[in-house]
Amino acid sequence: MDGEADETVAVGDDCVPGRRRRVHGMLKLYYGLNEEGKAAEESESLDPCDINGPHFDPELYLNKLRRECSLAELMDQETCMVKQIRSLDSDMQTLVYENYNKFISATDTIRKMKNDFKKMEDEMDCLSANMAAITEFSASISGTLQDQHTQITKLSGVHTLLRKLQFLFELPARLNKCLELQAYAQAVSSHRRARCVLQQYSHLPSFKGIQDDCHAIMDKLAQELRQKFRDGGSSAKDLSECVELLLQLDEPAEELCDKFLSHARSRLESDLQGLEAEIRPYPSAAKDASARRGCNEFVSSLCLVITSYQELFINHAQTGELLHAFVDNLAARYFSLVERRIQEEKSVGDNSLLVRALDRFHRRLQAVAKLLPGSAVPNKGTEIVIRAATERVKQYLSALQSFYMDSLTDVRQALATPRLSVAGRDAPNSLPELLSSLSASILNQIKSVLASVHLFTAKDITFSNKPYFKGEFCSQGVRESLVVSFIKFVCQSSRHFCESAGDKGGSTPPALLLLLSRLCLDYETSTISYILTLTDEQFLDQHHSPVTPVTTLCAEAKEAAQKLLNHYVKVQGLIISQMLRKSVETRDWVNTIEPRNVRAVMKRVVEDTTSIDVQVGLLYEEGVRKAHSSDSSKRTFSVYSSSRQQARYAASYTPSAPMDTNLLSNIHKLFSERIDIFSSVEFNKVSVMTGIIKISLKTFLECVRLRTFGRYGLQQIQVDCHYLQMYLWRFVSDENLVHFLLDEIVGSSAHRCLDPAPMEQSVIEVICERG
Amino acid sequence: MEDDAPVIYGLEFQARALSAQTAETDAIRFLVGTQSLKFDNQIHIIDFDDENNIINKNVLLHQAGEIWHIGASPADKAVLTTCYNKSESHCFLLSLALFSASLCTIFLLIISCDSRVVSCAAVWRMPSDWETGSHESPDDTAHNPQTLELLCHLNDSAHGNAACVLWEPMGDGKRVISLADNHALLWDLQESSTQAVVSNTATLEGKGQLKFTSGKWSPHHNCSQLATANDTAIRGWDLRTMSQIYCIENAHGQLVRDLDFNPNRQYYLASCGDDCKVKFWDVRNIQEPVKSLEEHSHWVWSVRYNHSHDQLVLTASSDSRLILSNMVSISSEPFGHLVDDEELSEGEDNHQDDKGKEPLKDSVVSTYEEHEDSVYAAEWSSADPWLFASLSYDGRLVINRVPRALKYRILL
């Protein structure tokens, strides 16, 4: 009791429901209903001082308290304990009261039950008496009816027998009638029923007659059936019925199945011929659906043949092989037809049609697979589907390629036409638009092709689950042989532009070269990775076979872009070079008049350079140039022509020191970097322009060195060079380059001059500014 | 195996014309012709002393005008041809100035307006004692150079300006061809080269002003073939009939600058031009070049096969570079030097090793960057097959050797 009291104190401040539960718990504990399981076990300690534990020893506890606690504490303990005992007592009372009430109501119930059972006993006695009376009556009735019953049974037996006899006697007539009506099935079943009986009673002459009649009729019937079977005109269902009946008539199975198959074959072959005929006259895509329908007819009738065959000859083991051979043979022919049909499917227009057709084809074959588990037919069918898919991918690739070439032709035309109508000024403006429309249309085309190809792997297509379509088709088929091949094709065709045009002299318009180079560069920076990501997303590749990495393609694109741009520089440089060369070669420089103007060709060169600058600026960024000398180019130029140039001429007048002529320029060359004329350019405007100007001026220099000049010839060159100087410096990355080359030109022409008397710098300036 | 450093020789004048002295097979000797409009032009005879790496020069005066092309006779060491420009007004002027100093300026104006630059060709003989004279007093020759002795002019006023003169290769020095505008003239030199008679001519016909830029006399087929270049086309001529036998239209994208015949393979021809390319042709199939190189970054002005080892090809370009290429695949020894059976039977172990080594591949052997101006001419020495000279416009002559490693690979 003490333990319980202590427990209550410990939870004394708990709310009421909590406490009540605790009380119930304790009661349960008392009655051995250990509901709280683990918690209870854990609290079970062996400490004899634990007032709640089962091993509580009051004596020990008391001693411990007395030993350990002070008087005040003991007093407290005591009041606490008294309080606990009191509350436990009141709990006890409540519990006792509740139980008492329940006990009273239970007693009442038992008493009531006792009364009810007494009444029930009486009724049961009455019931058993009645049942005994009924039994008695029933026995008497059956006794009276016994005789009649046996008579009826006999009569009915006679009746049945008579009926049977009648059936037998009527059998020949009935069979005849059936034969007339061609109700063979009925005839055979009737005969089967009668056959045993007739066999049994064949020693009786009357039955013998019937049997003979029946036999005769049945022979006739069998013959007729065979005839019908042989004719083979009827449908597969009729045929199988025929065979079933014949089997029932005990015809030999092997012969039948041979015949059956040969009939089936002839019918299926006629189907195939129909198909073939259908394929031949309509190679167009529109007939796809109809041809497909024909195929389906064939496959379904093949299925029908297989099912009926299996049903019919289920018991004949060796016939299975026959069936396999038969199916394989026919299927091979069918497949060759289908393949031919697919190969004719050249138009790339609507892939969904083809995919759906292939799907249907595949699904039908699946049915065959279910019917004939060991057959190779479905595998071959899958192979055909795979081949068709690969073929399709190839077709798409070539379609993409031709699309690309077509759009290039369009661009070429677009580049050519406005130039004719608006005389050169409008054409460059449309370059960025052309570029964006070109790349957008290519991208769209790729996307649409990807979407079409994606149909092959759609969820609802049966063959998309095949491992080929999950793995190899995605990685090798689509990614490698479609997308990657296309990108490579773009790069290759670009390179081809450089090579073919290189020798035969500018068959490709330079603007197209520039455009393509920008296109390739764009591919390198973004488009390739975009396309490949798109592809990889759409065609999730599960088996990670080695694929061409993006970086390889990017490198290829960059190389192509570089080549194109270099070629552009070369072509443009050549055009300007050609002008300069002609102008130098065709003039008689010895006997020319005093220069009054800048020659028209120089103006033309500057104009062309400006328009090239505009053109390149449309597609490429500005690029970095070396800082210009703080003022304009003027200052540098005056230095170049006045001090250094004068020194040169002065040197050439003094015959005593001929070496001095070259000294200055040689020293200059020692310290300047070697200039590569036809070198690779960077992807920006300044570098491109520098390349073009370099090529042009170097040509100018070499041409000048091949000529001999008179005094005015030299002066003309001076004027021209000054003019070029005034306009060309702004295009290049390093104006010193222009200075250096022009310097060389003037220097060389001074050397090649019979009478070197340079023009006054001020006069040159005046002439140039006037021009 | 250190390669010897290149030897550089500087001329005072600008120069374009370079030739090996073909008839000289003992000394390594080159002829250089200068270009100067103001001073007397010179022919420098450059002797290279291979053992001491020293250059000896002798200068001969060529007073007729600036030299554009030079050719040495294959038979007579002392005979050479030049193509030169002469400015006619210039000559006039000088003679007038002798008469009257005061009139000179007036005439100068008038005459220089009418002045004309004419290209001529002539056969010259070096003075017999140029060699001895230089050895006795080397200082003296610099001041008083001897003058070339004119043997005869190769001029025919009807046929325009001479572009170059070609000697019959390996001939007796009696026949030359000069290319003048659109004519190829075959000359017979008579009476010890003092008289030249046109024996045959061929004319290039076509639209526009056609002009031969260069040519080469084939050493094969009994010296009966000539190849010429005009604009972008290369043409072959049969000298017996003086008719065209083949024509490679658009051989180069732009002007063809030079040609050379493979000395060992009769149908092989190298060409170079303004498209920076060097192309190798089989003239039996002129649709496509056999091989094309694009190593230079500017016009290629000269291409030369090595006389003995035709896989070595020298090209000079106005990008100031000289490139030596090893074109094994189209040479007459595509599998390297074939070792004789006797040698094998003598056989040491290293012979076996040599056989196992990889065949050489077409490659650039080396790029020479000693020049600082356009290199217009390069020539192999006629005496030493491993030595060559190149000449840049600023008058710098550089003598180089084939790298030793390559030399030994070819020889062994």
Side-chain angles (χ1 to χ4, degrees), chain A residues 335-359:
Chain A
F335 287 153
S336 73
L337 273 181
V338 169
E339 240 172 317
R340 245 173 56 201
R341 181 71 194 81
I342 290 172
Q343 271 161 17
E344 275 163 26
E345 205 65 34
K346 289 292 178 215
S347 81
V348 206
D350 190 4
N351 196 40
S352 64
L353 213 64
L354 178 80
V355 172
R356 245 183 292 136
L358 284 175
D359 179 39

Side-chain angles (χ1 to χ4, degrees), chain A residues 499-704:
Chain A
E499 279 148 24
S500 68
D503 291 339
K504 312 290 177 244
S507 62
T508 321
L512 182 64
L513 291 176
L514 188 68
L515 194 98
L516 281 178
S517 121
R518 183 71 225 194
L519 184 74
C520 286
L521 191 65
D522 286 348
Y523 265 67
E524 193 258 324
T525 47
S526 57
T527 318
I528 285 179
S529 59
Y530 172 69
I531 292 174
L532 284 184
T533 320
L534 199 75
T535 315
D536 289 346
E537 271 170 12
Q538 281 192 21
F539 298 91
L540 273 177
D541 188 12
Q542 278 122 352
H543 86 101
H544 296 275
S545 59
V547 290
T548 320
V550 183
T551 46
T552 333
L553 287 176
C554 283
E556 202 166 322
K558 179 148 194 182
E559 193 199 339
Q562 183 72 58
K563 260 198 164 155
L564 280 165
L565 197 63
N566 287 350
H567 191 63
Y568 173 77
V569 168
K570 209 164 168 178
V571 167
Q572 292 287 28
L574 226 76
I575 293 171
I576 295 176
S577 292
Q578 231 35 284
M579 279 195 291
L580 287 168
R581 172 187 263 177
K582 284 265 156 56
S583 82
V584 175
E585 280 178 356
T586 51
R587 201 180 172 99
D588 179 5
W589 290 99
V590 179
N591 300 314
T592 187
I593 53 158
E594 187 166 8
R596 298 189 200 290
N597 274 314
V598 177
R599 282 187 302 149
V601 70
M602 293 302 158
K603 291 182 182 164
R604 182 74 199 286
V605 165
V606 170
E607 261 172 40
D608 279 13
T609 316
T610 317
S611 71
I612 292 170
D613 184 63
V614 171
Q615 197 177 52
V616 179
L618 289 173
L619 293 182
Y620 280 98
E621 294 77 27
E622 181 72 25
V624 214
R625 57 176 91 220
K626 286 190 187 168
H628 289 297
S629 42
S630 59
D631 224 341
S632 74
S633 70
K634 277 244 170 104
R635 195 175 56 88
T636 347
F637 183 64
S638 64
V639 170
Y640 131 87
S641 53
S642 63
S643 69
R644 200 158 68 204
Q645 208 59 30
Q646 292 297 3
R648 248 187 206 201
Y649 296 141
S652 56
Y653 289 130
T654 49
S656 61
M659 269 301 283
D660 284 7
T661 332
N662 298 328
L663 197 61
L664 272 168
S665 76
N666 281 347
I667 289 171
H668 180 81
K669 278 178 200 162
L670 266 181
F671 292 104
S672 64
E673 276 174 40
R674 192 181 281 272
I675 304 166
D676 276 342
I677 306 301
F678 288 101
S679 55
S680 230
V681 293
E682 286 160 35
F683 292 104
N684 59 54
K685 191 179 89 177
V686 168
S687 175
V688 169
M689 294 312 294
T690 310
I692 293 172
I693 289 171
K694 234 165 33 178
I695 291 171
S696 312
L697 292 183
K698 179 75 176 175
T699 305
F700 196 12
L701 172 66
E702 292 294 338
C703 290
V704 159

